[in-house]
Amino acid sequence: MKKLALTFICALCFGMAHAQYDNWAVGFKLGEPTGVNIRKYFNNIHAIDVTVGTFGGILGNDRKYRGDNGIYKNTGISLQMHYLWHTPLFNSEAVHVYYGIGGQINNRRAYPKRLNGDYEKNLTLGGSALGGFEYYIPDNRISVFLEGGTYVELLRKPFFLSPNISAGLRFNL
């Protein structure tokens, strides 16, 4: 998981070095998930949003799932990616609204009842939807955002639902 995340970050950074006229943003978000956020804007309409960080710590470590009545009991590593549509809110250049769909890969420990207190490492995969507001501070390169959505796990524990709620700062390059 770490090698995959590092490879992806290196590829994005290499792309940033060759894209002098493209609009990028780099920041930090706190919530579900928490981590480093990289965003690439296209055509002033679309964006790709990537977050590398942790999952499962803010809303509670002990999260029950269906199936064998086990729990996720710790914070895991997460890679989240969304394709976004964004537009100014009420024709304001300072406030934008965005929404999109994407996926999320998590690596965390699961404690199924069949293992009687022992854990197994789970690499999970699921889809997610996201929407939010972003405020661009006038005469500044910093923006503040608040977003929310949901994560639906498909592999390991199908239909395990988790809210994705976060806020953060971005530095717009």
Side-chain angles (χ1 to χ4, degrees):
M1 180 70 178
K2 289 180 185 178
K3 288 181 181 179
L4 175 67
L6 286 174
T7 302
F8 186 75
I9 289 171
C10 289
L12 278 177
C13 290
F14 181 74
M16 284 174 58
H18 290 319
Q20 295 177 354
Y21 300 107
D22 292 341
N23 192 4
W24 290 83
V26 178
F28 182 79
K29 67 162 67 172
L30 180 63
E32 288 289 345
T34 293
V36 175
N37 180 252
I38 301 168
R39 184 173 282 184
K40 168 71 174 95
Y41 294 95
F42 301 98
N43 309 348
N44 293 328
I45 299 171
H46 306 283
I48 296 208
D49 188 78
V50 177
T51 301
V52 178
T54 63
F55 179 75
I58 300 294
L59 296 178
N61 290 343
D62 294 347
R63 306 282 302 278
K64 292 183 180 180
Y65 55 79
R66 298 184 310 197
D68 57 2
N69 297 321
I71 58 174
Y72 287 125
K73 213 172 183 180
N74 68 334
T75 301
I77 298 170
S78 176
L79 172 65
Q80 182 184 60
M81 181 180 244
H82 289 99
Y83 183 81
L84 302 175
W85 292 266
H86 64 94
T87 185
L89 185 63
F90 304 119
N91 292 324
S92 167
E93 288 300 317
V95 181
H96 281 218
V97 62
Y98 57 90
Y99 54 93
I101 56 173
Q104 187 168 319
I105 300 171
N106 303 307
N107 186 7
R108 61 193 297 198
R109 292 179 181 175
Y111 292 80
K113 287 199 174 184
R114 64 179 162 73
L115 294 180
N116 296 322
D118 287 335
Y119 70 88
E120 61 185 9
K121 285 192 173 186
N122 275 341
L123 184 64
T124 63
L125 175 67
S128 61
L130 182 71
F133 297 94
E134 187 165 14
Y135 174 67
Y136 296 88
I137 299 172
D139 301 322
N140 205 324
R141 291 181 158 234
I142 296 175
S143 60
V144 180
F145 64 92
L146 176 65
E147 60 189 26
T150 189
Y151 164 71
V152 179
E153 194 165 293
L154 300 175
L155 290 179
R156 288 310 288 210
K157 305 298 174 196
F159 303 111
F160 170 75
L161 294 172
S162 178
N164 283 343
I165 302 167
S166 58
L169 294 168
R170 285 191 192 97
F171 182 74
N172 297 282
L173 304 173

